[in-house]
Every structure is written in structure tokens, then in C-alpha cells.
Coordinates of all heavy atoms in Angstrom, one line a residue:
M1 N -37.6 16.3 7.0 CA -36.6 15.5 6.5 C -37.0 14.8 5.2 O -38.2 14.5 5.0 CB -36.2 14.4 7.5 CG -35.2 13.3 7.0 SD -34.6 12.3 8.2 CE -33.1 13.2 8.5
Y2 N -36.2 14.7 4.2 CA -36.5 14.2 2.9 C -37.1 12.7 3.0 O -37.9 12.4 2.2 CB -35.3 14.2 2.0 CG -34.9 15.6 1.6 CD1 -33.7 16.1 1.9 CD2 -35.8 16.4 0.9 CE1 -33.3 17.4 1.6 CE2 -35.4 17.7 0.5 CZ -34.2 18.2 0.8 OH -33.9 19.5 0.5
T3 N -36.7 11.9 4.0 CA -37.2 10.6 4.1 C -38.7 10.6 4.4 O -39.5 9.9 3.7 CB -36.5 9.8 5.2 OG1 -35.1 9.8 5.0 CG2 -37.0 8.4 5.3
E4 N -39.1 11.5 5.2 CA -40.5 11.6 5.6 C -41.3 12.1 4.4 O -42.5 11.9 4.3 CB -40.7 12.5 6.8 CG -40.0 12.0 8.1 CD -40.6 10.7 8.6 OE1 -41.8 10.5 8.5 OE2 -39.8 9.9 9.0
L5 N -40.7 12.9 3.5 CA -41.4 13.4 2.3 C -41.3 12.4 1.2 O -41.7 12.7 0.1 CB -40.7 14.7 1.9 CG -40.8 15.9 2.9 CD1 -40.0 17.1 2.4 CD2 -42.3 16.3 3.1
H6 N -40.7 11.2 1.4 CA -40.5 10.2 0.4 C -39.7 10.8 -0.8 O -40.1 10.6 -2.0 CB -41.9 9.6 -0.1 CG -42.6 9.0 1.1 ND1 -42.2 7.8 1.6 CD2 -43.6 9.5 1.8 CE1 -43.0 7.5 2.6 NE2 -43.9 8.5 2.8
R7 N -38.6 11.4 -0.5 CA -37.7 12.0 -1.5 C -36.3 11.3 -1.4 O -35.3 11.9 -0.9 CB -37.5 13.5 -1.3 CG -38.8 14.3 -1.3 CD -39.4 14.6 -2.7 NE -38.4 15.1 -3.6 CZ -38.3 16.4 -3.9 NH1 -39.0 17.3 -3.3 NH2 -37.4 16.8 -4.8
P8 N -36.2 10.0 -1.7 CA -35.1 9.2 -1.4 C -33.8 9.7 -2.1 O -32.7 9.5 -1.6 CB -35.4 7.8 -1.8 CG -36.5 8.0 -2.8 CD -37.3 9.2 -2.4
L9 N -33.9 10.2 -3.3 CA -32.7 10.7 -4.0 C -32.1 11.9 -3.3 O -30.8 12.0 -3.4 CB -33.1 11.1 -5.5 CG -33.6 10.0 -6.3 CD1 -34.0 10.5 -7.7 CD2 -32.6 8.8 -6.4
R10 N -32.8 12.6 -2.5 CA -32.2 13.6 -1.7 C -31.8 13.1 -0.3 O -30.8 13.5 0.3 CB -33.2 14.8 -1.5 CG -33.4 15.5 -2.8 CD -34.3 16.7 -2.6 NE -34.6 17.3 -3.9 CZ -34.1 18.5 -4.3 NH1 -33.2 19.1 -3.6 NH2 -34.4 19.0 -5.5
A11 N -32.6 12.2 0.2 CA -32.4 11.7 1.6 C -31.1 10.8 1.7 O -30.3 10.9 2.6 CB -33.6 10.9 2.0
V12 N -30.9 9.9 0.7 CA -29.8 8.9 0.8 C -28.5 9.6 0.9 O -27.7 9.2 1.9 CB -29.9 7.9 -0.3 CG1 -28.6 7.0 -0.4 CG2 -31.1 7.0 -0.1
P13 N -28.1 10.4 0.0 CA -26.7 11.0 0.2 C -26.5 11.8 1.5 O -25.5 11.7 2.1 CB -26.6 12.0 -1.0 CG -27.7 11.7 -1.9 CD -28.8 10.9 -1.1
L14 N -27.6 12.5 1.9 CA -27.4 13.3 3.1 C -27.3 12.3 4.4 O -26.4 12.6 5.2 CB -28.7 14.2 3.4 CG -28.8 15.3 2.4 CD1 -30.2 16.0 2.6 CD2 -27.7 16.3 2.6
L15 N -28.1 11.3 4.4 CA -28.0 10.3 5.5 C -26.7 9.6 5.5 O -26.1 9.4 6.5 CB -29.1 9.4 5.5 CG -30.5 10.0 5.8 CD1 -31.6 9.1 5.4 CD2 -30.5 10.2 7.4
R16 N -26.2 9.2 4.3 CA -24.9 8.6 4.2 C -23.8 9.5 4.8 O -22.9 9.1 5.5 CB -24.5 8.2 2.8 CG -25.1 6.9 2.4 CD -24.5 6.5 1.1 NE -25.4 5.7 0.3 CZ -25.5 5.8 -1.0 NH1 -24.7 6.6 -1.7 NH2 -26.3 5.0 -1.7
D17 N -23.8 10.8 4.4 CA -22.8 11.7 4.9 C -22.9 11.8 6.4 O -21.9 11.9 7.1 CB -23.0 13.1 4.2 CG -22.6 13.1 2.8 OD1 -22.0 12.2 2.3 OD2 -23.0 14.1 2.1
V18 N -24.1 12.0 6.9 CA -24.2 12.1 8.4 C -23.7 10.9 9.1 O -23.0 11.0 10.1 CB -25.7 12.3 8.8 CG1 -25.9 12.2 10.2 CG2 -26.2 13.7 8.3
L19 N -24.1 9.7 8.6 CA -23.6 8.5 9.2 C -22.1 8.3 9.1 O -21.5 7.7 10.0 CB -24.4 7.3 8.6 CG -25.8 7.2 9.1 CD1 -26.6 6.3 8.1 CD2 -25.9 6.6 10.5
N20 N -21.5 8.6 8.0 CA -20.0 8.5 7.9 C -19.3 9.4 8.9 O -18.2 9.0 9.3 CB -19.6 8.8 6.5 CG -20.0 7.8 5.5 OD1 -20.1 6.6 5.8 ND2 -20.1 8.1 4.2
A21 N -19.9 10.5 9.3 CA -19.2 11.4 10.2 C -19.7 11.2 11.6 O -19.1 11.9 12.5 CB -19.5 12.8 9.7
Y22 N -20.6 10.3 11.9 CA -21.2 10.2 13.2 C -20.4 9.3 14.1 O -19.8 8.3 13.6 CB -22.7 9.7 13.0 CG -23.6 10.1 14.1 CD1 -24.1 11.4 14.1 CD2 -23.9 9.3 15.2 CE1 -25.0 11.9 15.1 CE2 -24.7 9.8 16.2 CZ -25.3 11.1 16.1 OH -26.1 11.5 17.1
D23 N -20.4 9.7 15.3 CA -19.7 8.9 16.4 C -20.5 7.6 16.6 O -21.6 7.7 17.1 CB -19.6 9.7 17.6 CG -18.8 9.0 18.7 OD1 -18.4 7.8 18.6 OD2 -18.5 9.7 19.7
A24 N -19.9 6.5 16.3 CA -20.6 5.2 16.4 C -20.9 4.8 17.8 O -21.6 3.8 18.0 CB -19.7 4.1 15.7
T25 N -20.3 5.5 18.8 CA -20.6 5.1 20.2 C -22.0 5.6 20.6 O -22.4 5.2 21.7 CB -19.5 5.7 21.1 OG1 -19.6 7.1 21.0 CG2 -18.1 5.2 20.8
H26 N -22.6 6.4 19.8 CA -24.0 6.9 20.1 C -25.0 5.9 19.4 O -25.6 6.2 18.4 CB -24.2 8.3 19.6 CG -23.3 9.2 20.3 ND1 -23.5 9.7 21.6 CD2 -22.2 9.9 19.9 CE1 -22.6 10.5 21.9 NE2 -21.8 10.7 20.9
T27 N -25.1 4.7 20.0 CA -25.9 3.6 19.4 C -27.3 4.0 19.1 O -27.8 3.7 18.0 CB -25.9 2.4 20.4 OG1 -24.5 2.1 20.7 CG2 -26.5 1.2 19.8
R28 N -28.0 4.6 20.0 CA -29.4 4.9 19.7 C -29.5 5.8 18.5 O -30.4 5.6 17.7 CB -30.0 5.6 21.0 CG -31.5 6.0 20.8 CD -32.0 6.6 22.1 NE -33.3 7.2 21.9 CZ -33.6 8.5 21.5 NH1 -32.5 9.3 21.1 NH2 -34.8 8.9 21.3
E29 N -28.7 6.9 18.5 CA -28.8 7.8 17.4 C -28.4 7.2 16.0 O -29.0 7.4 15.0 CB -27.9 9.1 17.6 CG -28.5 9.9 18.7 CD -28.3 9.4 20.2 OE1 -27.5 8.5 20.3 OE2 -28.9 10.0 21.1
M30 N -27.4 6.3 16.1 CA -27.0 5.6 14.8 C -28.2 4.7 14.3 O -28.4 4.7 13.2 CB -25.8 4.7 15.1 CG -24.5 5.4 15.2 SD -23.9 6.0 13.6 CE -23.5 4.5 12.8
A31 N -28.8 4.0 15.3 CA -30.0 3.2 14.9 C -31.1 4.1 14.3 O -31.7 3.6 13.2 CB -30.5 2.5 16.1
L32 N -31.3 5.2 14.8 CA -32.4 6.1 14.3 C -32.0 6.6 12.9 O -32.9 6.5 11.9 CB -32.6 7.3 15.2 CG -33.3 6.9 16.6 CD1 -33.3 8.1 17.5 CD2 -34.7 6.4 16.4
Y33 N -30.8 7.1 12.7 CA -30.4 7.5 11.4 C -30.4 6.4 10.4 O -30.8 6.6 9.2 CB -29.0 8.2 11.4 CG -29.1 9.7 11.9 CD1 -28.5 10.0 13.1 CD2 -29.6 10.7 11.1 CE1 -28.5 11.3 13.6 CE2 -29.7 12.0 11.6 CZ -29.1 12.3 12.8 OH -29.2 13.6 13.2
L34 N -29.9 5.2 10.8 CA -29.9 4.1 9.9 C -31.4 3.7 9.5 O -31.6 3.2 8.4 CB -29.2 2.9 10.5 CG -27.7 3.0 10.4 CD1 -27.0 2.0 11.4 CD2 -27.2 2.9 9.0
S35 N -32.3 3.9 10.4 CA -33.7 3.5 10.1 C -34.2 4.4 9.0 O -34.9 4.0 8.1 CB -34.5 3.6 11.4 OG -34.8 4.9 11.8
W36 N -33.9 5.7 9.1 CA -34.3 6.6 8.0 C -33.7 6.2 6.7 O -34.3 6.3 5.6 CB -34.1 8.1 8.4 CG -34.9 8.6 9.5 CD1 -36.3 8.5 9.6 CD2 -34.5 9.2 10.7 NE1 -36.7 9.0 10.7 CE2 -35.7 9.5 11.4 CE3 -33.3 9.6 11.2 CZ2 -35.7 10.1 12.7 CZ3 -33.3 10.2 12.5 CH2 -34.4 10.5 13.2
L37 N -32.4 5.8 6.7 CA -31.7 5.5 5.5 C -32.3 4.2 5.0 O -32.5 4.1 3.7 CB -30.2 5.2 5.8 CG -29.3 4.8 4.6 CD1 -29.4 5.8 3.5 CD2 -27.9 4.5 5.1
A38 N -32.7 3.2 5.8 CA -33.4 2.0 5.3 C -34.7 2.3 4.6 O -34.9 1.8 3.5 CB -33.6 1.0 6.5
V39 N -35.5 3.2 5.2 CA -36.7 3.6 4.6 C -36.4 4.3 3.2 O -37.2 4.1 2.2 CB -37.6 4.5 5.5 CG1 -38.8 5.1 4.8 CG2 -38.0 3.6 6.7
A40 N -35.5 5.2 3.2 CA -35.1 5.9 2.0 C -34.7 4.9 0.9 O -35.1 5.1 -0.3 CB -34.0 6.9 2.2
Y41 N -33.9 3.9 1.2 CA -33.5 2.9 0.3 C -34.8 2.1 -0.3 O -34.9 1.9 -1.5 CB -32.6 1.8 0.9 CG -31.1 2.3 0.9 CD1 -30.3 2.0 2.0 CD2 -30.5 2.9 -0.2 CE1 -29.0 2.4 2.0 CE2 -29.2 3.2 -0.2 CZ -28.4 2.9 0.9 OH -27.1 3.3 1.0
A42 N -35.7 1.8 0.6 CA -36.9 1.1 0.2 C -37.7 2.1 -0.8 O -38.2 1.6 -1.8 CB -37.8 0.8 1.4
D43 N -37.8 3.3 -0.4 CA -38.5 4.3 -1.3 C -37.8 4.5 -2.6 O -38.4 4.8 -3.6 CB -38.6 5.7 -0.6 CG -39.7 5.7 0.5 OD1 -40.5 4.7 0.6 OD2 -39.7 6.6 1.3
A44 N -36.5 4.3 -2.7 CA -35.7 4.4 -3.9 C -35.7 3.0 -4.7 O -35.0 2.9 -5.7 CB -34.3 4.8 -3.6
N45 N -36.5 2.1 -4.3 CA -36.6 0.8 -5.0 C -35.3 0.1 -4.9 O -34.8 -0.5 -5.9 CB -37.1 1.0 -6.4 CG -37.6 -0.3 -7.0 OD1 -38.1 -1.2 -6.3 ND2 -37.5 -0.4 -8.3
E46 N -34.7 0.1 -3.8 CA -33.4 -0.6 -3.5 C -33.6 -1.5 -2.3 O -33.1 -1.3 -1.2 CB -32.3 0.4 -3.2 CG -31.9 1.3 -4.3 CD -31.2 0.5 -5.5 OE1 -30.7 -0.5 -5.2 OE2 -31.2 1.1 -6.6
P47 N -34.4 -2.6 -2.5 CA -34.8 -3.5 -1.4 C -33.6 -4.2 -0.7 O -33.6 -4.4 0.5 CB -35.8 -4.4 -2.0 CG -35.5 -4.4 -3.4 CD -35.0 -3.0 -3.7
E48 N -32.6 -4.6 -1.5 CA -31.4 -5.3 -0.9 C -30.7 -4.4 0.0 O -30.3 -4.8 1.1 CB -30.5 -5.8 -2.0 CG -31.1 -6.9 -2.9 CD -31.9 -6.3 -4.2 OE1 -32.0 -5.1 -4.2 OE2 -32.3 -7.1 -4.9
A49 N -30.4 -3.1 -0.4 CA -29.8 -2.1 0.4 C -30.6 -1.8 1.7 O -30.1 -1.7 2.8 CB -29.5 -0.9 -0.4
A50 N -31.9 -1.7 1.5 CA -32.8 -1.5 2.6 C -32.8 -2.6 3.6 O -32.7 -2.4 4.8 CB -34.2 -1.2 2.1
A51 N -32.7 -3.8 3.1 CA -32.7 -5.0 4.0 C -31.4 -5.0 4.8 O -31.4 -5.3 6.0 CB -32.9 -6.3 3.2
G52 N -30.3 -4.8 4.1 CA -29.0 -4.7 4.8 C -28.9 -3.7 5.8 O -28.4 -3.9 7.0
T53 N -29.4 -2.5 5.5 CA -29.5 -1.4 6.5 C -30.4 -1.7 7.6 O -30.1 -1.5 8.8 CB -29.8 -0.1 5.8 OG1 -28.9 0.1 4.7 CG2 -29.7 1.1 6.7
A54 N -31.5 -2.3 7.3 CA -32.5 -2.7 8.4 C -31.9 -3.7 9.3 O -32.1 -3.6 10.5 CB -33.8 -3.3 7.7
E55 N -31.1 -4.6 8.8 CA -30.4 -5.5 9.7 C -29.5 -4.8 10.7 O -29.5 -5.2 11.9 CB -29.6 -6.6 8.9 CG -29.2 -7.8 9.6 CD -30.3 -8.7 10.0 OE1 -31.1 -9.1 9.1 OE2 -30.5 -9.0 11.2
R56 N -28.8 -3.8 10.2 CA -28.0 -3.0 11.1 C -28.8 -2.3 12.2 O -28.5 -2.2 13.3 CB -27.1 -2.0 10.3 CG -26.0 -2.7 9.5 CD -25.2 -1.7 8.8 NE -24.5 -0.8 9.8 CZ -24.0 0.4 9.4 NH1 -24.1 0.9 8.2 NH2 -23.4 1.1 10.3
V57 N -30.0 -1.7 11.7 CA -30.9 -1.0 12.7 C -31.3 -2.0 13.8 O -31.3 -1.6 14.9 CB -32.1 -0.5 11.9 CG1 -33.1 0.1 12.9 CG2 -31.7 0.6 10.9
I58 N -31.7 -3.2 13.4 CA -32.3 -4.2 14.3 C -31.2 -4.6 15.3 O -31.4 -4.7 16.5 CB -32.9 -5.3 13.6 CG1 -34.1 -4.9 12.8 CG2 -33.1 -6.5 14.5 CD1 -34.6 -5.9 11.8
G59 N -30.0 -4.8 14.8 CA -28.8 -5.2 15.7 C -28.5 -4.1 16.6 O -28.3 -4.4 17.9
L60 N -28.5 -2.8 16.2 CA -28.1 -1.7 17.1 C -29.3 -1.5 18.1 O -29.0 -1.3 19.3 CB -27.9 -0.4 16.3 CG -26.6 -0.4 15.6 CD1 -26.6 0.9 14.7 CD2 -25.4 -0.3 16.5
S61 N -30.5 -1.7 17.7 CA -31.7 -1.4 18.5 C -31.8 -2.5 19.6 O -32.3 -2.2 20.7 CB -33.0 -1.5 17.7 OG -33.0 -0.4 16.8
S62 N -31.2 -3.7 19.4 CA -31.3 -4.7 20.4 C -30.3 -4.4 21.5 O -30.5 -4.9 22.6 CB -31.0 -6.1 19.8 OG -29.6 -6.1 19.4
D63 N -29.4 -3.5 21.3 CA -28.4 -3.1 22.3 C -28.9 -1.9 23.2 O -28.2 -1.5 24.1 CB -27.1 -2.7 21.7 CG -26.4 -3.9 21.0 OD1 -26.7 -5.0 21.4 OD2 -25.5 -3.6 20.1
V64 N -30.0 -1.3 22.9 CA -30.5 -0.1 23.6 C -31.9 -0.4 24.0 O -32.7 -1.1 23.3 CB -30.3 1.2 22.8 CG1 -28.9 1.5 22.6 CG2 -31.1 1.2 21.6
T65 N -32.3 0.3 25.1 CA -33.7 0.2 25.6 C -34.3 1.6 25.1 O -34.1 2.6 25.8 CB -33.8 0.0 27.1 OG1 -33.1 -1.2 27.4 CG2 -35.3 -0.1 27.5
S66 N -35.0 1.6 24.0 CA -35.6 2.8 23.6 C -36.9 2.5 22.8 O -36.8 1.8 21.8 CB -34.6 3.6 22.7 OG -35.2 4.6 22.0
E67 N -38.0 3.1 23.2 CA -39.3 2.9 22.5 C -39.1 3.5 21.2 O -39.8 3.0 20.2 CB -40.4 3.5 23.3 CG -41.7 3.3 22.7 CD -42.1 1.8 22.3 OE1 -41.7 0.9 23.0 OE2 -42.7 1.7 21.2
R68 N -38.4 4.6 21.0 CA -38.3 5.2 19.7 C -37.6 4.4 18.7 O -38.0 4.2 17.6 CB -37.6 6.6 19.8 CG -37.6 7.4 18.6 CD -37.3 8.8 18.8 NE -37.4 9.6 17.5 CZ -36.7 10.6 17.2 NH1 -35.7 11.0 18.0 NH2 -36.8 11.2 16.1
T69 N -36.5 3.7 19.1 CA -35.8 2.8 18.2 C -36.7 1.6 17.8 O -36.8 1.2 16.7 CB -34.4 2.4 18.6 OG1 -34.5 1.7 19.9 CG2 -33.5 3.6 18.7
A70 N -37.4 1.1 18.9 CA -38.3 0.0 18.6 C -39.4 0.4 17.6 O -39.7 -0.4 16.7 CB -38.9 -0.5 19.9
E71 N -39.9 1.6 17.7 CA -40.9 2.0 16.8 C -40.4 2.2 15.4 O -41.0 1.8 14.4 CB -41.5 3.3 17.2 CG -42.5 4.0 16.3 CD -43.7 3.1 15.9 OE1 -44.1 2.2 16.7 OE2 -44.3 3.2 14.8
R72 N -39.1 2.7 15.3 CA -38.5 2.8 14.0 C -38.2 1.5 13.4 O -38.4 1.3 12.1 CB -37.2 3.6 14.1 CG -37.3 5.1 14.4 CD -38.1 5.9 13.4 NE -37.5 5.7 12.1 CZ -38.2 6.1 11.0 NH1 -39.4 6.5 11.0 NH2 -37.6 6.0 9.8
V73 N -37.9 0.5 14.1 CA -37.8 -0.9 13.6 C -39.1 -1.3 13.0 O -39.1 -1.9 11.9 CB -37.3 -1.9 14.7 CG1 -37.4 -3.3 14.2 CG2 -35.8 -1.6 15.0
R74 N -40.1 -1.1 13.6 CA -41.5 -1.4 13.1 C -41.8 -0.7 11.8 O -42.3 -1.3 10.9 CB -42.6 -1.2 14.1 CG -42.5 -2.2 15.3 CD -43.7 -2.0 16.2 NE -43.7 -0.8 17.1 CZ -43.1 -0.7 18.2 NH1 -42.5 -1.8 18.8 NH2 -43.1 0.4 18.9
V75 N -41.4 0.6 11.8 CA -41.7 1.4 10.6 C -40.8 0.8 9.4 O -41.3 0.7 8.3 CB -41.3 2.8 10.8 CG1 -41.2 3.6 9.5 CG2 -42.3 3.5 11.7
V76 N -39.5 0.5 9.7 CA -38.6 0.0 8.6 C -39.2 -1.4 8.1 O -39.3 -1.6 6.9 CB -37.2 -0.2 9.2 CG1 -36.3 -1.0 8.2 CG2 -36.6 1.2 9.4
L77 N -39.6 -2.3 9.0 CA -40.1 -3.6 8.6 C -41.4 -3.4 7.7 O -41.6 -4.0 6.7 CB -40.4 -4.5 9.8 CG -39.1 -4.9 10.5 CD1 -39.5 -5.7 11.7 CD2 -38.2 -5.8 9.6
K78 N -42.2 -2.4 8.1 CA -43.5 -2.2 7.4 C -43.1 -1.7 6.0 O -43.7 -2.0 5.0 CB -44.3 -1.1 8.1 CG -45.6 -0.8 7.4 CD -46.4 0.2 8.2 CE -47.7 0.5 7.4 NZ -48.4 1.6 8.1
S79 N -42.1 -0.8 5.9 CA -41.7 -0.3 4.6 C -41.1 -1.3 3.6 O -41.2 -1.2 2.4 CB -40.7 0.9 4.7 OG -39.4 0.4 5.1
L80 N -40.6 -2.4 4.2 CA -40.0 -3.5 3.4 C -41.0 -4.5 2.9 O -40.8 -5.3 2.1 CB -39.0 -4.1 4.2 CG -37.7 -3.3 4.3 CD1 -36.7 -4.0 5.3 CD2 -37.0 -3.1 3.0
R81 N -42.2 -4.6 3.5 CA -43.2 -5.6 3.2 C -43.5 -5.6 1.7 O -43.8 -6.7 1.2 CB -44.5 -5.4 4.0 CG -44.3 -5.8 5.4 CD -45.7 -5.7 6.2 NE -45.4 -5.7 7.6 CZ -46.0 -4.9 8.5 NH1 -46.9 -4.0 8.1 NH2 -45.7 -4.9 9.7
R82 N -43.5 -4.5 1.0 CA -43.9 -4.5 -0.4 C -42.8 -5.2 -1.2 O -43.0 -5.5 -2.4 CB -44.1 -3.1 -0.9 CG -42.8 -2.2 -0.8 CD -43.1 -0.8 -1.1 NE -42.2 0.0 -0.3 CZ -41.9 1.3 -0.6 NH1 -42.4 1.9 -1.6 NH2 -41.1 1.9 0.2
Y83 N -41.6 -5.5 -0.6 CA -40.6 -6.2 -1.3 C -40.4 -7.7 -0.8 O -39.4 -8.2 -0.8 CB -39.3 -5.5 -1.1 CG -39.3 -4.1 -1.7 CD1 -39.3 -3.0 -0.9 CD2 -39.3 -3.9 -3.1 CE1 -39.3 -1.7 -1.5 CE2 -39.3 -2.7 -3.7 CZ -39.3 -1.6 -2.8 OH -39.3 -0.3 -3.4
A84 N -41.5 -8.2 -0.2 CA -41.4 -9.5 0.4 C -41.0 -10.6 -0.5 O -40.5 -11.7 -0.1 CB -42.8 -9.9 1.0
D85 N -41.0 -10.4 -1.8 CA -40.6 -11.4 -2.8 C -39.1 -11.3 -3.1 O -38.6 -12.2 -3.7 CB -41.4 -11.2 -4.1 CG -41.2 -9.9 -4.8 OD1 -41.0 -8.9 -4.0 OD2 -41.2 -9.8 -6.0
V86 N -38.4 -10.3 -2.5 CA -36.9 -10.2 -2.7 C -36.3 -11.1 -1.6 O -36.7 -10.9 -0.4 CB -36.5 -8.8 -2.6 CG1 -35.0 -8.7 -2.6 CG2 -37.1 -7.9 -3.7
P87 N -35.5 -12.1 -1.9 CA -34.9 -13.0 -0.9 C -34.4 -12.3 0.3 O -34.7 -12.8 1.5 CB -33.9 -13.8 -1.7 CG -34.3 -13.7 -3.1 CD -34.9 -12.3 -3.2
E88 N -33.6 -11.3 0.2 CA -33.0 -10.7 1.4 C -34.1 -10.1 2.3 O -34.0 -10.2 3.5 CB -32.0 -9.6 1.0 CG -30.8 -10.0 0.3 CD -31.0 -10.2 -1.2 OE1 -32.1 -10.2 -1.7 OE2 -29.9 -10.3 -1.9
V89 N -35.1 -9.5 1.7 CA -36.2 -8.9 2.5 C -37.0 -10.1 3.1 O -37.4 -10.0 4.3 CB -37.0 -8.0 1.6 CG1 -38.3 -7.5 2.4 CG2 -36.2 -6.9 1.1
A90 N -37.3 -11.0 2.3 CA -38.2 -12.2 2.8 C -37.5 -12.8 4.1 O -38.2 -13.1 5.1 CB -38.3 -13.2 1.7
E91 N -36.2 -13.0 4.0 CA -35.4 -13.5 5.1 C -35.5 -12.7 6.3 O -35.8 -13.1 7.5 CB -34.0 -13.8 4.7 CG -33.1 -14.5 5.8 CD -31.7 -14.7 5.3 OE1 -31.5 -14.8 4.1 OE2 -30.8 -14.7 6.2
L92 N -35.3 -11.4 6.1 CA -35.4 -10.4 7.2 C -36.7 -10.4 7.9 O -36.9 -10.5 9.1 CB -35.0 -9.0 6.7 CG -35.0 -7.9 7.8 CD1 -33.8 -8.0 8.6 CD2 -35.1 -6.6 7.1
L93 N -37.8 -10.3 7.1 CA -39.1 -10.3 7.6 C -39.5 -11.6 8.3 O -40.1 -11.5 9.4 CB -40.1 -10.0 6.5 CG -40.1 -8.7 5.7 CD1 -41.1 -8.6 4.6 CD2 -40.4 -7.6 6.7
A94 N -39.1 -12.7 7.8 CA -39.4 -13.9 8.4 C -38.7 -14.0 9.8 O -39.3 -14.5 10.8 CB -39.0 -15.1 7.5
E95 N -37.5 -13.5 9.8 CA -36.7 -13.6 11.1 C -37.2 -12.6 12.1 O -37.2 -12.9 13.3 CB -35.3 -13.3 10.7 CG -34.3 -13.6 11.8 CD -32.9 -13.4 11.4 OE1 -32.6 -13.7 10.2 OE2 -32.1 -12.9 12.2
H96 N -37.7 -11.4 11.7 CA -37.9 -10.4 12.7 C -39.3 -9.9 12.8 O -39.7 -9.3 13.9 CB -37.1 -9.1 12.4 CG -35.6 -9.4 12.5 ND1 -35.0 -9.6 13.7 CD2 -34.7 -9.6 11.5 CE1 -33.7 -9.8 13.5 NE2 -33.5 -9.8 12.2
E97 N -40.3 -10.1 11.9 CA -41.6 -9.6 12.0 C -42.4 -10.4 13.1 O -43.2 -9.8 13.7 CB -42.3 -9.7 10.7 CG -42.1 -8.4 9.9 CD -43.3 -8.1 9.0 OE1 -43.9 -9.0 8.4 OE2 -43.6 -7.0 9.0
A98 N -42.1 -11.6 13.3 CA -42.8 -12.4 14.3 C -42.5 -12.0 15.7 O -43.2 -12.1 16.6 CB -42.5 -13.9 14.1
A99 N -41.3 -11.4 15.9 CA -40.8 -11.0 17.2 C -41.5 -9.8 17.8 O -42.1 -9.0 17.3 CB -39.3 -10.7 17.1

């Protein structure tokens, strides 16, 4: 996947298309795809979009019991640390990293 290769310009449009067509009742899968989108936004130097997407990932992940989504939340938060000076990111990290 382009996200794992740190190719956000390729990853973001593909992930948006997938998410727009995805059945929102599949909470775990939505959280996973959104986690890759959040990381792609971070890699694309879009910390505000990454933080907003991360918030959705965290919200969805809290509704499911899945070690994989929990791990993806940790990956997303780690990818956002380099933007800790951006207010949206700082707020998200302060709220969720301690948990």
C-alpha cells in the first residue's frame, strides 16, 4: 500500500475513494482504512487533516474490540508527534496519548 511506502500523494486519493464507497456499518474496517488515511495526511504535511481523521479513527476504535485497530491508533498518534506544535494535533495528543 502506498501509505506504507510513504507515498501520500498516491495514497490519499485512493483511500478517499475507498472510504466514500465503503459500507459504514463495518466499523473495524472503516477505522483501519481511516488510520491509513490519517498517516498519509501526516506524511503529506497536512497535520490538521491528519488530526481530524485520527479523531474519527479513535472514535470508531472505541466502539470495537480489536487489537489491530488499537495498534493502528498507536501508529497514527506516533505519526502525529512530529506536529505536536500544531494546535489540533497538540490537543489530540494531550487527550489520547496518556490513555
Side-chain angles (χ1 to χ4, degrees):
M1 174 168 263
Y2 290 119
T3 304
E4 298 298 321
L5 297 172
H6 301 283
R7 304 283 307 264
L9 296 179
R10 293 184 185 255
V12 168
L14 291 172
L15 287 165
R16 277 195 210 141
D17 288 346
V18 167
L19 286 162
N20 285 335
Y22 210 78
D23 183 352
T25 61
H26 298 283
T27 307
R28 178 180 173 272
E29 288 77 12
M30 283 291 287
L32 292 172
Y33 279 112
L34 283 167
S35 75
W36 289 309
L37 182 59
V39 170
Y41 278 138
D43 286 346
N45 199 29
E46 295 291 342
E48 297 88 354
T53 305
E55 195 68 55
R56 288 183 62 200
V57 172
I58 292 165
L60 288 171
S61 295
S62 68
D63 292 339
V64 296
T65 304
S66 167
E67 182 53 38
R68 189 164 182 211
T69 58
E71 175 58 26
R72 290 300 303 165
V73 167
R74 290 187 286 273
V75 168
V76 169
L77 292 174
K78 182 179 176 184
S79 75
L80 288 172
R81 285 187 198 133
R82 63 188 147 161
Y83 299 109
D85 60 330
V86 175
E88 294 86 346
V89 174
E91 182 179 331
L92 179 78
L93 292 176
E95 192 174 324
H96 296 288
E97 272 210 318

